[in-house]
Amino acid sequence: MRAESVETPPLATARDWIALAVLMLPVLLVSIDNTVLSLALPHIAEALEPDAAQQLWIIDAYSIVLAGLLVTMGSLGDRIGRRRLLLIGAAGFAVFSVASAFATTALELILLRGLTGIFGAMLMPSTLALIRGIFRDRNQRRVAIAVWAGCFSAGSAAGPLVGGVVLEHFHWNAIFLIALPVLLPLFILTPLLVRESRDPHPGPIDVPGMLASIVALVAIVLGIKEFAAQGFGLQPIVSIVVGFAVGAWFVRRQLRRPVPLLDLTLFRNPLFSGSIAVNLLSVVSMVGFLFFVSQHLQIVVGLTPLAAGVVLLPGIVLMIIAGFAVVPLSKRVTARVIITGSVLLSATAYVLMAAFGAGSAWQIVLIAFVILGVGVGMAETLSNDLILSAAPKDRAGAASALSETAYEVGAVLGTALLGGLLTAHYRGALVVPDGVDADAGARARETLAGAEQVAASLPNDLGAELMSMANAAFEGGVVMTSVIGAILMVAAAAAAWFVLPKR
């Protein structure tokens, strides 16, 4: 008998682990930027006076643009170099973040947030693809991905806490200046510690495919957003139909090309496709939860932005711990069992909010977010590892772009779908007291923050009555949204159980 040698992947060095720490800077920044506006939104609404649609756009513009460009940027990084694209993205992100701090109108802020999203799309696929190239050993790579996923999830959850600290001491504009102290060490240390990597055989640039991916993603997300906010209508239907039509053309084109922009045959692997779905829905649950809970804690419960952020802190910590704890657990328990259980934990958090209903105390929110954090932390780490493991090494940028696209589309759906449904319920349920003029009543119906501003300008008794009505309408929407969130998570758990392999 002849023994055949098997090549052992080289282990990462100390420099590689330091490089990982550097790569976590843009991960934290982009994930914090997804949710940092949650607590600042009432302050921005007071200063810039956006209507309900503009208020959702202030949150969504960044994520929609970022999600639409991730596939293109992942492929671009494979070609020009992932480290180079990372540095270009960091420079643009810094410029437009600073510009956002000086916005004077809601429309201007929405535009600048969209431009920031263009460069944010350059950051995230680069980080995950670089990790795939740095950590060749499977066990070390799984730990590195746990760090990545933990930072991503923790950054999203820490956004409200960071926002609370900033708002406690500074004006809302300072929220957008957070990028500067994070990006400065990135510019200095990345060229010194992070090795460049790219696809050695990228094939021709598929410009029509890139454009189609952007149009399809943006059109579908916009359609869902408008449907959730405005209900059944021609505009959201046309947008969704156009998005799926362009997406179908994109899929056919990729399957026929010898070197596709995205290797869609990866979706034939149930581990890959199931993990992508879990990735998306886990983020829907987290971002949607943060959207309404941040307003509930500040306006309904009456906490300061900092206190509201502190309430969410235990969930953030346990999210990180769960992301690391799932690494050794995954060696003994199948991905199917872990991911199904993790998603059911997320569903439990929504059930808790729905069960206690309107006026839930901050203690209930704390417990619910702890449960949600554990579920999301475990699901994100394992699903991202499965996604990267299923992809060939030289297509790491494109595969990580799919993972990131799922995350960002989930972030958009969290605010667009759940936030839009909450807004629609609030508008329909609010009964404006007699004595409030039509213009003031219309402003109160736009958002809960708008009702708070109107109430402050009314006589004490009338203002208190308006806020009581507004809080009741909003909290009714919280219960409805929590029920829908729980149903979505149970459906995701069922899909994971039946799609992911048993072994």
Side-chain angles (χ1 to χ4, degrees):
M1 296 180 64
R2 183 180 62 187
E4 296 184 0
S5 62
V6 179
E7 182 182 356
T8 302
L11 296 178
T13 64
R15 171 180 167 172
D16 293 330
W17 290 105
I18 298 173
L20 175 66
V22 174
L23 290 175
M24 291 308 98
L25 294 175
V27 172
L28 282 170
L29 178 61
V30 172
S31 57
I32 286 174
D33 211 58
N34 272 329
T35 56
V36 71
L37 291 187
S38 297
L39 290 185
L41 198 55
H43 302 267
I44 294 173
E46 182 178 357
L48 303 183
E49 298 183 351
D51 58 28
Q54 288 177 326
Q55 183 167 299
L56 285 174
W57 270 110
I58 289 172
I59 298 292
D60 289 342
Y62 168 83
S63 294
I64 286 177
V65 173
L66 196 153
L69 288 172
L70 279 169
V71 172
T72 295
M73 294 304 178
S75 179
L76 183 62
D78 288 343
R79 287 166 169 78
I80 71 170
R82 293 142 187 166
R83 188 182 70 176
R84 178 182 298 175
L85 189 68
L86 177 68
L87 293 174
I88 294 172
F93 196 100
V95 169
F96 288 107
S97 291
V98 172
S100 298
F102 298 95
T104 56
T105 66
L107 185 60
E108 183 182 344
L109 180 58
I110 291 169
L111 177 61
L112 290 169
R113 291 290 293 163
L115 291 171
T116 306
I118 293 175
F119 292 93
M122 299 180 186
L123 299 177
M124 299 316 299
S126 301
T127 59
L128 199 53
L130 286 167
I131 287 173
R132 172 67 184 262
I134 292 171
F135 295 93
R136 305 286 298 278
D137 178 75
R138 176 66 186 273
N139 290 329
Q140 287 189 326
R141 186 172 70 244
R142 184 167 278 180
V143 172
I145 291 173
V147 173
W148 183 93
C151 285
F152 213 150
S153 299
S156 297
L161 177 61
V162 173
V165 173
V166 173
L167 292 170
E168 191 78 9
H169 302 285
F170 303 100
H171 196 259
W172 65 265
N173 308 71
I175 288 289
F176 300 103
L177 302 179
I178 296 171
L180 295 182
V182 176
L183 292 177
L184 182 59
L186 177 72
F187 282 119
I188 297 172
L189 297 175
T190 297
L192 299 175
L193 296 170
V194 180
R195 294 185 295 272
E196 182 62 282
S197 71
R198 56 171 55 88
D199 185 348
H201 307 290
I205 297 178
D206 182 12
V207 175
M210 291 179 176
L211 293 176
S213 71
I214 296 169
V215 172
L217 282 170
V218 171
I220 292 171
V221 170
L222 279 177
I224 294 174
K225 176 183 179 300
E226 291 300 314
F227 181 80
Q230 301 178 14
F232 186 82
L234 181 62
Q235 181 180 347
I237 291 176
V238 170
S239 182
I240 292 173
V241 169
V242 169
F244 276 108
V246 175
W249 181 85
F250 172 79
V251 170
R252 289 183 61 190
R253 180 179 177 83
Q254 298 310 303
L255 292 176
R256 293 177 177 179
R257 289 178 64 84
V259 184
L261 178 67
L262 284 181
D263 185 5
L264 297 178
T265 58
L266 288 171
F267 282 98
R268 296 172 183 168
N269 183 342
L271 273 177
F272 186 89
S273 56
S275 298
I276 286 285
V278 168
N279 218 333
L280 186 148
L281 290 172
S282 293
V283 178
V284 168
S285 70
M286 182 178 67
V287 175
F289 189 90
L290 288 172
F291 179 82
F292 65 76
V293 160
S294 60
Q295 297 180 70
H296 169 86
L297 290 173
Q298 289 183 89
I299 300 176
V300 178
V301 180
L303 300 181
T304 65
L306 179 58
V310 170
V311 169
L312 301 175
L313 183 59
I316 298 170
V317 174
L318 286 175
M319 188 180 298
I320 298 172
I321 294 173
F324 284 102
V326 78
V327 175
L329 181 64
S330 64
K331 297 177 182 178
R332 299 187 297 272
V333 183
T334 65
R336 179 192 188 210
V337 172
I338 295 175
I339 290 179
T340 301
S342 301
V343 177
L344 285 176
L345 273 179
S346 299
T348 304
Y350 274 106
V351 170
L352 187 63
M353 290 297 298
F356 281 86
S360 298
W362 64 264
Q363 292 92 339
I364 299 299
V365 176
L366 186 152
I367 295 171
F369 191 63
V370 162
I371 296 171
L372 184 72
V374 172
V376 170
M378 296 176 69
E380 283 293 299
T381 295
L382 191 53
S383 62
N384 277 298
D385 176 60
L386 295 175
I387 290 167
L388 277 191
S389 299
K393 180 178 179 295
D394 58 4
R395 304 295 290 170
S400 61
L402 276 173
S403 175
E404 287 306 309
T405 300
Y407 186 98
E408 292 302 332
V409 170
V412 172
L413 292 180
T415 54
L417 182 58
L418 299 183
L421 290 172
L422 176 60
T423 299
H425 182 279
Y426 171 79
R427 287 176 176 174
L430 176 59
V431 178
V432 178
D434 295 333
V436 179
D437 64 66
D439 289 340
R443 283 187 284 124
R445 287 186 187 280
E446 288 290 333
T447 62
L448 184 60
E452 187 178 39
Q453 293 174 30
V454 171
S457 66
L458 297 174
N460 290 339
D461 292 344
L462 187 59
E465 185 180 0
L466 174 61
M467 279 309 298
S468 176
M469 296 289 191
N471 286 341
F474 182 84
E475 292 297 281
V478 168
V479 173
M480 179 201 69
T481 305
S482 297
V483 170
I484 293 173
I487 292 172
L488 285 175
M489 294 304 101
V490 170
W497 182 258
F498 289 109
V499 171
L500 296 179
K502 294 181 180 180
R503 296 181 61 184

